Amino acid sequence: MTGQVATPLPRLEAAGLDAWLIRLFDAIDEANLPWLTALTRQCEAALGADLVDLVPSYTTLLVVFDPLKLDPELARRRLGEVLAGLTPDADTVGGEIRELPTWYDESVGPELALLAERAGLSVAAVIDCHSERLYRVFALGFAPGFAFMGLLDERLECPRLDTPRQRVPLGSVAVAGRQTAVYPAVTPGGWNLIGRTSARLFDRGREGFSLLRLGDRVRFVPVDRAEFERQGGDPHPMEAER
Amino acid sequence: MTAAVSGLSVRRAGPLALLQDAGRFGVRQLGVTQGGPADPHAWAWANRLVGNPWGAAALEITVGGIELVAERGLTVAVAGADLGATLDGEALPGWRPVAIREGQVLAFAQPLNGLRAYLAVVGGFRAEPVLGSVACVVREGLGGHDGLGHKLAAGDSLRVGEEAGRAVPPREAPEAERPDYRGAARLALLPGAQIGEFRGASLFDAFNAAWRVDDRADRMGVRLTGPLLHCRVTSMISEGIGLGAVQVPPDGQPIALLNDRQTIGGYPRLGALTPLAAGRLAQCLPGQEVRLVAVARERALADYRRFRAAFA
């Protein structure tokens, strides 16, 4: 029994001198998204120039404000008012559909075979299974433009690697648990790699910088190596791990 | 704004020197972290002593080991840690403006008192902002002198405005504003939402034990070692984490998250250090003792307002 179970949602939680955390839900669910996107937009409007940052994620929204301009208690009241009047976004609001051309191949997706073996499927069936779904972006984090997407078909559910890789190549398409993601930059990472996309997830030259936003719908579109390269993808195989 | 010209060249690079303005804001929902000075107090003082407004880019020098050559006459100030700074081999006084001539060598040796020194120049260092800020975040490859998030390397050059050699009124930071970073640090912490999930004995320990700064410490976070803290919640769905958040992973050893932390995370938290406490922790060397002190929001806010009022 935890103390939090009894406390009703949504609620406002203390998160430091300059922030409140709005907790809307207690479980990951696609149905959270229209509430989260609406809340994010309305908090932006309610705090205006006093707002510093917003960090939406799965079930919560962290609202960071300037405590020199806006007293934390006043911020709490304003956020409470937003919550009281909150209605979810209509299905048609936001949530762009993004297609990510993806080359599924064991040379760039070394865990393809592992997933197939775990699921009792052929590699081709794993690719179908991953690319048939329309995923939603639940959160961005870990690295600039890194979008946590779900939910994955149960058959592809897979724990993270025991030992994270030191260098995951840019554009790597990955799965962990019941989520999927693309590595927007070369970083360490512990997710299972199944392919590579030619799409640029984070581009400082692009308006808005990140290709994906909270609530977006994402489809991985299988392409062959030639098409992947034609679209600017880097086909170099994974470096051997030390 | 005046044209940017070469101000300092790097003759020898130390372990870590990064350009930092106030930080990168408004982009955290894209997964981009905050960056900015790990110790805002010392950073702000360095800027203030050369007459810069809040937010001007200064150089954050961690540990020392760097040698810089003046490409022109500059008025600079060093605040924060005493890293044994010298100008042409003579001790360089900290916490006050200093005029340096073209060709002089500004060198930082090793930590004598504190870990991070801030070097500010009149008009601030100049670099192309990336996502609205020059704050250098190596992990993200954003900001810094080259815009690509690289730490300073030998042969690099730091640009300044043409006004960088302008004289400023001589003044010193008051004694009370120059911390002795070697002493046991008392870190003000605002209790957070999961505080009630920690066992009573762990809560007692959290605020009464002497914590030691682990050598696993960087601009992302500082691990503290001491008694094991038990929380009834072991992991949570990832959520946004603020500056100074003190998270406790299942190994029971807290980690205070600093400027370059990941934007979301999923461990329960004792609460959050105040911005000034986070800065104070950033000056601690591995092995140093710190204590966590719970504070009320009103008190922390009053302290922060007092601090910022001096840097309007």
Side-chain angles (χ1 to χ4, degrees):
Chain A
M1 176 72 192
T2 72
Q4 292 189 355
V5 172
T7 322
L9 293 173
R11 60 172 178 263
L12 277 154
E13 296 180 356
L17 194 58
D18 60 352
W20 292 102
L21 184 97
I22 303 175
R23 191 175 299 282
L24 282 182
F25 303 103
D26 58 8
I28 297 175
D29 193 324
E30 206 171 304
N32 299 353
L33 284 166
W35 292 92
L36 272 171
T37 52
L39 180 64
T40 304
R41 213 179 43 255
Q42 289 182 29
C43 286
E44 195 166 357
L47 265 55
D50 300 333
L51 184 72
V52 170
D53 253 308
L54 291 165
V55 194
S57 176
Y58 298 105
T59 56
T60 56
L61 174 68
L62 181 72
V63 182
V64 186
F65 53 90
D66 182 346
L68 299 181
K69 293 189 198 159
L70 179 62
D71 184 86
E73 278 311 313
L74 187 55
R76 183 193 176 103
R77 278 209 296 280
R78 284 207 202 148
L79 296 176
E81 285 161 16
V82 168
L83 269 180
L86 188 68
T87 53
D89 276 339
D91 206 35
T92 48
V93 174
E96 299 286 326
I97 294 183
R98 305 285 184 191
E99 295 199 330
L100 306 181
T102 300
W103 178 39
Y104 293 93
D105 190 84
E106 288 181 52
S107 66
V108 293
E111 272 80 59
L112 259 182
L114 173 75
L115 255 70
E117 192 187 315
R118 286 178 64 104
L121 295 170
S122 66
V123 165
V126 167
I127 295 170
D128 286 347
C129 194
H130 184 262
S131 59
E132 272 166 4
R133 269 199 192 202
L134 197 55
Y135 300 102
R136 297 297 301 269
V137 175
F138 289 128
L140 279 89
F142 174 66
F146 189 102
F148 294 84
M149 298 176 255
L151 281 173
L152 207 58
D153 187 303
E154 280 173 6
R155 291 171 294 172
L156 300 186
E157 184 169 353
C158 198
R160 287 168 204 226
L161 303 177
D162 289 339
T163 308
R165 290 188 168 88
Q166 288 298 309
R167 288 172 59 84
V168 176
L170 179 139
S172 292
V173 174
V175 299
R178 287 197 63 195
Q179 299 193 64
T180 186
V182 174
Y183 284 86
V186 177
T187 59
W191 289 34
N192 304 278
L193 308 186
I194 60 170
R196 206 177 285 176
T197 179
S198 53
R200 290 278 173 273
L201 273 286
F202 192 82
D203 181 350
R204 60 172 77 188
R206 176 198 291 134
E207 172 114 16
F209 314 115
S210 174
L211 178 65
L212 303 178
R213 298 269 176 157
L214 183 80
D216 280 357
R217 295 162 166 84
V218 177
R219 192 189 303 284
F220 293 87
V221 180
V223 296
D224 61 15
R225 176 176 177 151
E227 177 65 12
F228 172 76
E229 286 191 66
R230 199 185 64 73
Q231 300 210 19
D234 174 4
H236 283 90
M238 297 283 302
E239 289 170 29
E241 290 288 321
R242 279 168 297 228
Chain B
M1 197 179 258
T2 58
V5 291
S6 179
L8 287 166
S9 60
V10 182
R11 190 161 82 172
R12 187 159 73 95
L16 188 63
L18 307 169
L19 221 48
Q20 298 293 351
D21 63 9
R24 190 167 281 112
F25 299 105
V27 286
R28 261 192 267 172
Q29 55 181 303
L30 309 178
V32 177
T33 195
Q34 152 177 8
D39 178 1
H41 173 265
W43 167 85
W45 267 107
N47 272 324
R48 184 183 178 187
L49 290 165
V50 291
N52 291 343
W54 179 269
L59 189 65
E60 178 179 284
I61 299 163
T62 302
V63 175
I66 189 171
E67 287 178 18
L68 303 160
V69 182
E71 301 282 313
R72 59 202 295 113
L74 302 169
T75 304
V76 302
V78 175
D82 179 355
L83 302 179
T86 55
L87 186 62
D88 280 350
E90 300 285 322
L92 178 93
W95 302 95
R96 72 179 74 168
V98 177
I100 61 180
R101 296 185 309 276
E102 184 179 340
Q104 285 195 298
V105 177
L106 181 57
F108 294 81
Q110 73 279 326
L112 302 175
N113 184 349
L115 185 61
R116 292 177 164 92
Y118 292 86
L119 170 68
V121 63
V122 168
F125 289 105
R126 300 287 184 82
E128 204 57 49
V130 179
L131 277 53
S133 164
V134 306
C136 187
V137 179
V138 175
R139 179 169 50 87
E140 296 182 342
L142 299 177
H145 64 291
D146 64 354
L148 300 171
H150 290 135
K151 62 181 186 178
L152 284 191
D156 284 344
S157 155
L158 285 172
R159 288 178 301 151
V160 298
E162 284 170 342
E163 73 277 31
R166 197 176 62 208
V168 298
R171 57 173 158 185
E172 260 183 282
E175 197 64 42
E177 296 290 343
R178 307 187 206 177
D180 183 346
Y181 301 113
R182 294 166 298 191
R186 292 170 58 80
L187 306 176
L189 181 143
L190 294 148
Q194 287 93 44
I195 191 99
E197 304 295 334
F198 287 86
R199 287 193 197 151
S202 289
L203 272 188
F204 180 85
D205 285 345
F207 296 105
N208 290 280
W211 294 97
R212 287 211 179 273
V213 174
D214 194 73
D215 54 9
R216 287 165 293 177
D218 57 22
R219 285 180 44 90
M220 282 182 78
V222 174
R223 194 177 285 259
L224 303 177
T225 55
L228 298 186
L229 302 184
H230 295 280
C231 185
R232 281 178 280 262
V233 179
T234 51
S235 79
M236 311 188 306
I237 297 165
S238 282
E239 57 192 42
I241 34 183
L243 177 71
V246 178
Q247 65 178 23
V248 181
D251 71 3
Q253 300 290 275
I255 303 171
L257 298 167
L258 301 184
N259 302 65
D260 291 1
R261 70 197 177 279
Q262 292 178 10
T263 54
I264 60 175
Y267 292 123
R269 297 176 294 273
L270 283 171
L273 300 181
T274 65
L276 290 170
R280 177 67 187 84
L281 177 60
Q283 291 290 6
C284 289
L285 273 76
Q288 207 170 325
E289 184 182 308
V290 301
R291 286 178 183 270
L292 302 176
V293 182
V295 292
R297 179 184 286 272
E298 295 70 27
R299 167 74 193 281
L301 189 59
D303 286 349
Y304 188 65
R305 285 195 172 127
R306 202 173 310 120
F307 162 61
R308 286 294 302 269
F311 302 98

